[in-house]
Amino acid sequence: MKPLFIQSNRLPDDWLQLIDKFDIDASSLPNSLKPVCHILKNNILTEKENSVMSYYNHSFLRHICLGIEWSLDKYEDIPFDLIREVFNEMGAEKGIQYNQKLSSLFSELLAYAYLNSIGYTIDSFSRTTGSCDLVLKKDDKIFHCEVKAKSSDDIYSQNIFFYINGRSYLPSYSSLRALDTVFHRMKKYPSCYSEMKDLNNELDSFCKTPTYYDGVFIEIASDRTQLSLDISRISHDIVYNSKINSLDKTETYQLLENILVGKNRHLTQLIVKSSEFDNFIGYLHLSVPFHKDISIDNIEKWLKSKKLNFDLFVDVNGIGMDGEVLDIRKNI
């Protein structure tokens, strides 16, 4: 059972008109934000009320409609041409695909920020089909860097929080805004886009009548006592994943093998890509589930056991843990 805290702000009735009239290029927003702001504005005007459920749109909406300041300090030192080129990759994605694409693009900028801190600089801003995400230079050598991000199931709780809070900004959702907290229990994790949409539909049903909803994927209520205590109704995997589990070396190795190795999995994709470029670098954002106590030393040992033919940087992060970037040097 996890509580979600509801914000109390309300967008003005003319919030869409305010977004439409806002001149991004003439605004006082930092230049580093302006390329992504054009994407956010276009998505908001296209999806209208559905746009408020996207985490990425919240700060833009709050800045324009509620006068709340907005900055992303960690991006200020990234070359503007790189920021612009990265966000030029954004297409006409909507809904779930919109969030996932933006997440991928931001992960590339975060990777560059770290690599720049250890001496890499951008060599080329242009991107072509099949090229790597970042073309870098260090010690007069050119490096080609591909960036991947592996999220844990914790992402669903975060998405649910932003989805419900997004709805609460809309003028017509006063009954949702009146709540301080709602409680939810995951019953089943979505396994594909269609199931993720089904979960969103269940959240919509609750937001329209925010008292109690019991669906296929989620049970959610405004009163914690309304949630079922019948564990048999919830899948074994969800029950298991609600406990704090300490993974030993063997269990850590098996977990990483399962999530990173195999067709269409991130480490395998990096290995395949590395064969196409000289001086290849891999960068992996690896999110560790909050309920798994995993030794970073064991993660590092597993990565080294793969005897990669390229340098790999792994940003290990997760809820409630101190992040660390592992530097896995290629096996020579």
Side-chain angles (χ1 to χ4, degrees):
M1 182 188 305
K2 297 178 183 177
L4 303 171
F5 300 98
I6 306 300
Q7 64 83 41
S8 59
N9 287 311
R10 174 191 185 278
L11 295 177
D13 292 333
D14 63 344
W15 65 276
L16 274 174
Q17 288 88 342
L18 292 174
I19 297 295
D20 189 29
K21 293 177 181 177
F22 185 75
D23 189 336
I24 294 169
D25 295 322
S27 73
S28 61
L29 285 170
N31 284 335
S32 59
L33 283 176
K34 290 179 180 178
V36 71
C37 284
H38 284 287
I39 294 170
L40 305 181
K41 180 177 178 178
N42 181 67
N43 179 263
I44 292 168
L45 295 178
T46 299
E47 295 210 68
K48 299 180 173 57
E49 287 198 351
N50 286 335
S51 70
V52 301
M53 280 80 77
S54 170
Y55 157 75
Y56 293 101
N57 292 340
H58 283 190
S59 294
F60 188 64
L61 285 163
R62 285 156 53 89
H63 177 72
I64 296 171
C65 300
L66 301 175
I68 297 173
E69 288 301 314
W70 178 32
S71 66
L72 287 173
D73 295 338
K74 65 180 67 177
Y75 298 103
E76 289 300 306
D77 295 329
I78 296 176
F80 177 74
D81 286 342
L82 175 60
I83 293 174
R84 182 174 56 194
E85 188 66 25
V86 164
F87 287 117
N88 276 344
E89 287 195 12
M90 194 72 183
E93 290 87 356
K94 297 171 62 176
I96 296 165
Q97 289 90 345
Y98 171 78
N99 287 338
Q100 292 186 335
K101 182 65 175 180
L102 273 179
S103 176
S104 174
L105 298 180
F106 274 111
S107 71
E108 293 176 22
L109 295 176
L110 289 173
Y112 173 78
Y114 175 78
L115 292 171
N116 182 246
S117 74
I118 59 172
Y120 291 90
T121 57
I122 195 72
D123 181 73
S124 173
F125 297 107
S126 63
R127 295 170 175 230
T128 58
T129 302
S131 67
C132 286
D133 296 317
L134 300 169
V135 180
L136 306 168
K137 179 183 286 186
K138 185 177 183 182
D139 299 329
D140 294 325
K141 292 183 180 179
I142 302 299
F143 296 86
H144 301 269
C145 179
E146 188 75 4
V147 182
K148 299 290 183 186
K150 174 59 181 173
S151 299
S152 72
D153 286 335
D154 296 345
I155 195 71
Y156 289 111
S157 287
Q158 296 176 58
N159 288 345
I160 289 167
F161 172 81
F162 289 116
Y163 197 97
I164 291 177
N165 269 280
R167 279 285 190 219
S168 70
Y169 278 106
L170 295 172
S172 59
Y173 284 78
S174 57
S175 56
L176 183 59
R177 242 179 348 267
L179 302 176
D180 293 322
T181 313
V182 299
F183 303 89
H184 81 282
R185 192 199 310 273
M186 291 297 297
K187 297 172 64 176
K188 176 184 176 183
Y189 289 121
S191 60
C192 58
Y193 280 127
S194 62
E195 289 191 351
M196 291 168 74
K197 290 180 180 178
D198 290 339
L199 169 59
N200 287 348
N201 289 336
E202 293 185 1
L203 294 174
D204 279 340
S205 295
F206 172 78
C207 289
K208 291 172 182 175
T209 309
T211 52
Y212 175 78
Y213 184 87
D214 186 14
V216 173
F217 297 93
I218 193 169
E219 184 183 19
I220 185 166
S222 56
D223 181 345
R224 72 166 65 227
T225 63
Q226 293 176 287
L227 293 187
S228 170
L229 298 179
D230 182 4
I231 296 299
S232 65
R233 297 179 62 198
I234 306 171
S235 76
H236 173 270
D237 288 342
I238 299 297
V239 173
Y240 178 78
N241 286 339
S242 68
K243 303 174 182 177
I244 303 297
N245 298 290
S246 295
L247 274 62
D248 61 22
K249 180 178 177 180
T250 300
E251 292 168 327
T252 298
Y253 279 30
Q254 188 60 57
L255 172 68
L256 295 173
E257 194 77 27
N258 289 342
I259 65 174
L260 295 178
V261 177
K263 185 178 180 181
N264 296 325
R265 292 179 180 162
H266 295 334
L267 185 59
T268 297
Q269 289 179 326
L270 289 174
I271 292 171
V272 171
K273 189 94 173 185
S274 70
S275 65
E276 303 172 14
F277 297 91
D278 294 329
N279 296 330
F280 180 86
I281 296 173
Y283 196 103
L284 174 64
H285 297 273
L286 177 63
S287 181
V288 176
F290 79 93
H291 54 272
K292 295 189 186 298
D293 184 8
I294 302 175
S295 164
I296 291 183
D297 286 343
N298 284 338
I299 293 176
E300 184 173 20
K301 289 174 183 176
W302 179 82
L303 290 165
K304 289 181 176 179
S305 76
K306 308 314 287 183
K307 300 186 182 301
L308 301 171
N309 66 346
F310 58 90
D311 291 342
L312 174 66
F313 297 91
V314 183
D315 178 2
V316 184
N317 59 80
I319 297 174
M321 72 174 293
D322 294 327
E324 182 174 342
V325 179
L326 302 177
D327 183 349
I328 311 300
R329 291 295 163 173
K330 64 183 176 182
N331 186 58
I332 300 176

